[in-house]
Each structure stands twice: as C-alpha cells, then as structure tokens.
Amino acid sequence: DGGITQSPKYLFRKEGQNVTLSCEQNLNHDAMYWYRQDPGQGLRLIYYSQIVNDFQKGDIAEGYSVSREKKESFPLTVTSAQKNPTAFYLCASNGASSYNSPLHFGNGTRLTVT
Amino acid sequence: GEDVEQSLFLSVREGDSSVINCTYTDSSSTYLYWYKQEPGAGLQLLTYIFSNMDMKQDQRLTVLLNKKDKHLSLRIADTQTGDSAIYFCAEKGGSSYKLIFGSGTRLLVRP
C-alpha cells in the first residue's frame, strides 16, 4: 500500500540538541511538506519542496532545516535555535503538477524537548 | 493574505446530524477540502469540492459551498461516536499548490 511513513512516533530530546524527524513516501509525489501542530492553532507550514534538491521556507521556518536529496524522502531537523520545539510534526505530500492535489499525511511525530 | 476560519468546538448527540462550518477569504480558491484527525494521528482526507459546485454528497457526508459568501459546511448525517475527532477545512488557491488550513473544529459525539 502506498503512503507516508513518519518515524519515530514519539521522540524525546534534551534542550540544546538537534534532532531529525524522518519522512518517507512511496506515492511518487513530487511535493512534500512539513507542518507543525500545536493545540488550538491548526497546522502551520514549516518547509516545503516541489522537486528534488529544491525547497522553500514556509511560515515558521526559523530554527528548522530540511533536505530533499531523493524524491521519496524529506527529513526535518529541529535545531537548538528553535525556541519552542515541543509539538506534533506532520509530513505530507501531493502531486504538485496535478490541479486537484489533496495532501496525503503521515501519522505524525510527537517531539518533546525538556 | 489568505485565511480560513472555523469554530473551535461542536457537541452533538449520537444519531443527530452535525454541521461544521468554515469561512475563507481567498476568492480565487479552486478546491476546498475537509480532513478528519483522530487523536494522535495524521489528517485523513474526507472529501473535497471544486469551486464551481454548490453541493457534493458522499454517503453520510454532504458538503455545501456558498461561493458568494465564501462559506463552506460539512454535514454528517446520523453522527456516530466514531465521528468524534477534529475536522479541518482547507482551501487551495488558484495559482498555488499549497493548502491553507483552518484551526480545526473538535466534534464531540455524546451517547
């Protein structure tokens, strides 16, 4: 079955450490996205990538970094510069070239930084 | 900029209909989507409507679009306890592949 796999489901880190969240898709989608979800605030876009080796900042990119070396993979690094990293992180993908392109989501990674 | 707004909370009795409302500001919206999120999970696409349609029905789900008022609603008939979740409205602008999400409506279904 095609889908998006995020790992791990739960992640715990100490303050000051960088941490990388994994996202892999086998849907052959061109575009991939990272969202952050906080209670009562909906989804906020961190970074997105339309094609391999290219990505753009979203609305809240500060303190995060990404890479897109392969079509299937879009890892997100939460750096120590992110002031409030504890959140639920969602990865998504769609066929950017399609006019109707609903997002397909992974099951998320809950990051807790203490 | 674009904005999508939803009420935060809705409580209904099992068997009743639920209506979740959404308003958006982007007049160039092409597709509008409804997603469902269960606790600790990602978002699941429920249904979508193209902006030149007024209504779309899919089993227990009915989507109504009032393009003039930029108002979208999702009606769930015969609401079940398994429908308890957060429901997100999202819109796709004409020239963009990105989706803009509302903050979500938490639906609680009481037995």
Side-chain angles (χ1 to χ4, degrees), chain B residues 74-99:
Chain B
L74 174 70
R75 178 177 180 270
I76 305 173
D78 186 25
T79 314
Q80 302 297 306
T81 54
D83 294 324
S84 291
I86 302 176
Y87 290 81
F88 289 92
C89 164
E91 64 97 8
K92 176 181 179 292
S95 59
S96 173
Y97 56 90
K98 290 190 292 180
L99 299 191

Side-chain angles (χ1 to χ4, degrees), chain A residues 34-106:
Chain A
W34 275 104
Y35 287 90
R36 172 182 170 136
Q37 185 178 21
D38 295 283
Q41 292 197 41
L43 276 68
R44 292 185 289 169
L45 183 63
I46 305 172
Y47 266 99
Y48 61 99
S49 167
Q50 290 180 264
I51 55 171
V52 173
N53 292 323
D54 188 45
F55 48 83
Q56 287 80 39
K57 292 181 179 180
D59 302 316
I60 55 163
E62 187 175 345
Y64 299 98
S65 66
V66 292
S67 62
R68 187 87 187 275
E69 295 176 5
K70 298 186 300 182
K71 188 175 185 177
E72 304 80 23
S73 178
F74 191 41
L76 173 74
T77 297
V78 184
T79 76
S80 55
Q82 167 49 233
K83 297 278 187 287
N84 187 18
T86 294
F88 189 51
Y89 290 87
L90 286 161
C91 179
S93 70
N94 67 357
S97 58
S98 301
Y99 195 57
N100 175 17
S101 52
L103 288 177
H104 297 256
F105 284 85

